[in-house]
Amino acid sequence: MRWQAINARARTITIPLAKNGHPRTVLLSPRAIQIFDDLPRHGELVFPIKPTAVRLAWEHLVQRAGLADLRFHDLRHEAVSRFFEAGLNCPGGSTCPGGFRRHPRCDAGEGARWHRPSCHGP
């Protein structure tokens, strides 16, 4: 991840090559922006660490926690579930009770913000 991908003013990060082969812009929470602002800047990389180091650290953590079937990607699903449980909604996700999608796409668009739903659906 490169610093130039983060737009603090728009509260977004641009992923140049997402899984679908296209770039994607994703909304960042105010807390995420604060964390990025607090990080030291030593070069163009936000996290100057090799992918192998991340993988090995993850494998060690999973083994130590006794969670052999936990995948890194599972954390995304957990985070989105927790946001919805807290009454928050992400842009692109469902805003009405009962309309929850298992994998809402939290893509940023013009004016996109994390918000509490105002819909009082069925």
Side-chain angles (χ1 to χ4, degrees):
M1 180 184 323
R2 300 183 187 287
W3 285 110
Q4 68 188 28
I6 300 169
N7 182 335
R9 185 174 176 164
R11 292 188 356 202
T12 61
I13 185 167
T14 300
I15 301 165
L17 187 61
K19 287 191 321 186
N20 66 2
H22 300 285
R24 172 172 292 154
T25 300
V26 180
L27 182 67
L28 295 172
S29 70
R31 178 71 178 123
I33 292 295
Q34 184 62 53
I35 289 169
F36 283 126
D37 285 345
D38 292 344
L39 288 175
R41 294 185 184 222
H42 301 291
E44 65 181 38
L45 297 178
V46 177
F47 305 108
I49 187 170
K50 304 263 186 224
T52 303
V54 174
R55 181 183 54 79
L56 291 173
W58 177 257
E59 289 172 359
H60 176 74
L61 181 138
V62 167
Q63 181 181 18
R64 190 169 176 200
L67 302 169
D69 62 342
L70 183 66
R71 300 168 304 160
F72 190 79
H73 186 75
D74 296 334
L75 300 179
R76 176 184 182 272
H77 304 290
E78 179 64 21
V80 171
S81 295
R82 298 268 178 146
F83 282 130
F84 277 88
E85 287 171 4
L88 297 173
N89 234 335
C90 63
S94 174
T95 57
C96 298
F100 176 79
R101 292 185 294 175
R102 186 169 188 275
H103 305 290
R105 294 172 62 113
C106 299
D107 294 338
E110 188 174 332
R113 296 288 181 261
W114 284 95
H115 62 281
R116 294 200 180 276
S118 59
C119 176
H120 300 288

